[in-house]
Amino acid sequence: MDIDMDTQKLVEVTILRNAIDYNGSAKFDTVISKILGAKPEIKNNLKDVMPKIKEIMEQINSLPIERQRELLLQKCPTYLETKKAVEKNEFHLPPLLNAKHGKVVTRFPPEPNGYPHIGHAKAAVIDEEYAKMYAGKLILRFDDTNPLNEKLEYYDAIMEGLSWLNIVPDIIKNTSDDIHLLHFYGKKLINKGNAYICLCDQNTIHHLRSKGLPCQCRIDSDKVLENSDKIFNGYYHQNEAIIRFKGNMNSDNTAMRDPTLFRIIENTHPLLGDKIILWPTYDFAAPIEDSLDGVTHAFRTKEYELRNELYQQILKNLEMRIPEVLEFSRLEFEGLPVSKRKLKPLIEEKKVEGWSDPRLPTLMGMKRRGFTPEAIRRFVLSLGITLSETKPSIGVLEAFNRKIIDSISKRLLFVNDPVKITIKNVKQKEVVFKNHPSIEMGSRKIYVNNVVFISSQDAEKLKNGMEIRLIELYNIKVSYIDIEKKEGIVEYRDNILKENIPKIQWVSEEDLVKYMILKPTKLFIGDRFNHNSLEVIEGFAESFVTTLSTNTMVQFIRLGFCRIEDNKSAIFTHK
Ligand SMILES: [Zn+2]
């Protein structure tokens, strides 16, 4: 007998994995128990499937292990990566340099300029884990010194995201709270001759910077001191003057070629209103704030690497304490960019539903999709603080999530694109379904009269005269089937468990609701938005689904895990 494609793939992948674990030779008993664990319904026709499994196994065992690895990667590209991550069940970040128990202070410094995403989750989890590891403190500091981009809504969204991730900062503050201190240190730097007011236009600045030459403002900076008072007193308007660091215009590190420390922005700040117009850049605010806040270990993503020299030089010039600066790679998934430049247009053009669209890598989107905060934490820790720029596949996160939700998800029936099946010679019946195959989660009753619906994919395989089992119900024989009309007639046979007949899912006419599953797929293909990134699967589900509250996780048998959205729809999480 032939086995269906799904089963075939499961069998092949299971054997390949086992073969690789056992030096190229899969073990029959282990393979069988793994296959049955993954797909218990195979038990019903094991006698038929067994020879086929043996055949596939002999074929695979005869291959060299290198070839087995290649085949596994072809069939299941994320497998090896996933396995390493999930099996490494201890998640220890490497120890920190110069860290004393009880004295470590880390900080998570998001700019409130958008909704938090998986990249923020990585930074926040690492900052929090290190604070915990050394019984230290975590500071949440909103780096809000650019009123062009910042909104109250985003401060709230970040707080909400962190609370969902179960991250509780010891101190919450805003960089803007310290604006007068930042001005004070700015003046101090100018008075020490380490910074100056530049009145050049942007083109000139850009041009001289690329040539490695100083502008006249820098050359005259020791003579022209009154500009300093003017800029702090609000004499200049936006784009008329900036404060620049006196670095080295010849430096190979372009970040040291007199970078901007303060600029004038005449927009209303979400917390300070219109009182302040001279705003520090991140380059200036970050080292000062870290130093003042007592941060011992400051983590930054790798794109700031070139700016570390500036960070240290500013603090050195001001004779302030210098924290340890550490880097990690930023996190985003293949095909799922986190940059606002890419995501904002999708929202503005209404290509997605909003920041909580389940296709997005925002924390709100991931929550709505059915990812758990614990899975995100384990996933982040499994990546560690590596600097590698490779984008992990979302399959790895899914594997962590599956481990967590498998034991809390009720199993339900759903048929996609339903075909109506009338059963002759049958009495009404009541079937009891267990909510979970191996964990005690109660059960439910389903009434069946003489009509059930099956999915058209299953119906397509039926032929007149064929005997099949409606799972957990009874055996029937097909007398007529018409896929076009989406109908069929069958006859009741008996209720004897037979191993050699196909088993299919059904939903009773007495007990169904119209139901929709939204399935997110890749948001971008290459650089382009994928217009088919949200697949809509329509069909019938058991009415039991309407008793489940929003956010409940379920597994629709054969389809996958889903998060209940409301009593008409669910969102597909993953297989
Ligand atoms: Zn200048």
Side-chain angles (χ1 to χ4, degrees), residues 196-201 204-205 208 214-218 244:
Y196 62 97
I197 317 300
C198 172
L199 304 177
C200 300
D201 62 75
T204 313
I205 294 174
L208 292 174
C215 67
Q216 203 57 40
C217 322
R218 171 166 178 163
R244 294 177 72 176

Side-chain angles (χ1 to χ4, degrees), residues 281-533:
T281 56
Y282 183 73
D283 276 341
F284 186 69
I288 307 283
E289 287 285 288
D290 287 349
S291 188
L292 293 175
D293 290 343
V295 172
T296 57
H297 296 78
F299 289 90
R300 319 217 274 183
T301 50
K302 202 168 174 276
E303 72 238 46
Y304 288 104
E305 200 173 23
L306 286 178
R307 318 203 78 83
N308 287 346
E309 188 182 349
L310 176 62
Y311 180 103
Q312 301 197 345
Q313 196 59 50
I314 289 172
L315 293 177
K316 239 180 244 168
N317 290 347
L318 289 168
E319 293 161 62
M320 293 172 80
R321 186 188 58 89
I322 304 176
E324 298 276 341
V325 176
L326 301 115
E327 285 147 22
F328 57 80
S329 57
R330 73 187 245 148
L331 170 59
E332 68 179 7
F333 295 113
E334 195 55 53
L336 211 49
V338 298
S339 96
K340 274 183 291 297
R341 193 172 44 77
K342 288 201 153 177
L343 297 185
K344 239 181 189 153
L346 300 184
I347 287 161
E348 284 161 3
E349 293 161 28
K350 301 216 183 321
K351 285 178 174 161
V352 298
E353 208 190 290
W355 291 105
S356 66
D357 190 288
R359 284 167 286 183
L360 298 186
T362 54
L363 297 183
M364 283 165 83
M366 297 180 77
K367 175 184 177 188
R368 197 153 155 233
R369 171 127 171 219
F371 284 112
T372 56
E374 190 50 33
I376 292 178
R377 182 178 290 264
R378 287 186 202 171
F379 168 68
V380 164
L381 293 177
S382 78
L383 298 174
I385 53 166
T386 56
L387 296 174
S388 90
E389 289 293 311
T390 53
K391 292 178 187 168
S393 118
I394 197 162
V396 184
L397 173 60
E398 290 175 358
F400 281 109
N401 204 52
R402 194 174 296 116
K403 254 196 161 172
I404 293 168
I405 61 177
D406 182 60
S407 60
I408 56 165
S409 300
K410 289 178 177 156
R411 270 47 170 178
L412 298 179
L413 296 168
F414 171 82
V415 295
N416 171 25
D417 192 12
V419 173
K420 182 177 179 178
I421 302 291
T422 307
I423 308 159
K424 284 183 167 172
N425 309 325
V426 79
K427 287 188 195 129
Q428 194 191 38
K429 195 179 168 186
E430 180 188 297
V431 202
V432 177
F433 262 87
K434 279 166 81 177
N435 290 335
H436 194 284
S438 56
I439 293 167
E440 185 41 60
M441 270 192 207
S443 59
R444 60 195 187 270
K445 282 178 191 163
I446 297 176
Y447 291 93
V448 190
N449 205 338
N450 66 334
V451 175
V452 296
F453 289 86
I454 64 173
S455 81
S456 57
Q457 289 111 296
D458 283 332
E460 272 164 20
K461 291 175 201 147
L462 302 184
K463 290 185 186 74
N464 291 351
M466 201 169 161
E467 192 176 350
I468 51 171
R469 181 169 184 80
L470 298 170
I471 52 172
E472 305 283 331
L473 190 59
Y474 41 62
N475 306 326
I476 53 172
K477 190 174 170 183
V478 182
S479 358
Y480 151 83
I481 188 98
D482 188 332
I483 292 290
E484 297 298 310
K485 290 188 182 158
K486 303 220 177 290
E487 62 179 29
I489 298 172
V490 301
E491 242 172 84
Y492 171 81
R493 290 283 289 199
D494 51 44
N495 195 8
I496 306 161
L497 271 182
K498 297 173 188 171
E499 285 176 348
N500 54 355
I501 60 173
K503 290 20 177 215
I504 61 174
Q505 277 197 81
W506 51 274
V507 171
S508 165
E509 188 190 40
E510 306 287 304
D511 185 68
L512 63 79
V513 286
K514 265 189 89 173
Y515 207 69
M516 185 169 77
I517 293 169
L518 299 173
K519 186 176 182 184
T521 61
K522 266 200 171 160
L523 190 60
F524 281 86
I525 296 176
D527 249 0
R528 288 226 171 139
F529 172 69
N530 174 12
H531 286 275
N532 301 317
S533 51

Side-chain angles (χ1 to χ4, degrees), residues 216-260:
Q216 203 57 40
C217 322
R218 171 166 178 163
I219 296 166
D220 296 340
S221 59
D222 295 339
K223 290 174 265 170
V224 191
L225 294 170
E226 68 274 14
N227 290 349
S228 165
D229 288 337
K230 282 187 186 168
I231 201 167
F232 285 100
N233 293 336
Y235 174 85
Y236 296 111
H237 291 287
Q238 201 156 319
N239 300 324
E240 288 178 355
I242 56 174
I243 300 177
R244 294 177 72 176
F245 184 71
K246 208 177 272 182
N248 175 2
M249 287 307 285
N250 275 319
S251 176
D252 288 338
N253 180 357
T254 50
M256 292 306 286
R257 296 186 183 179
D258 292 17
T260 307

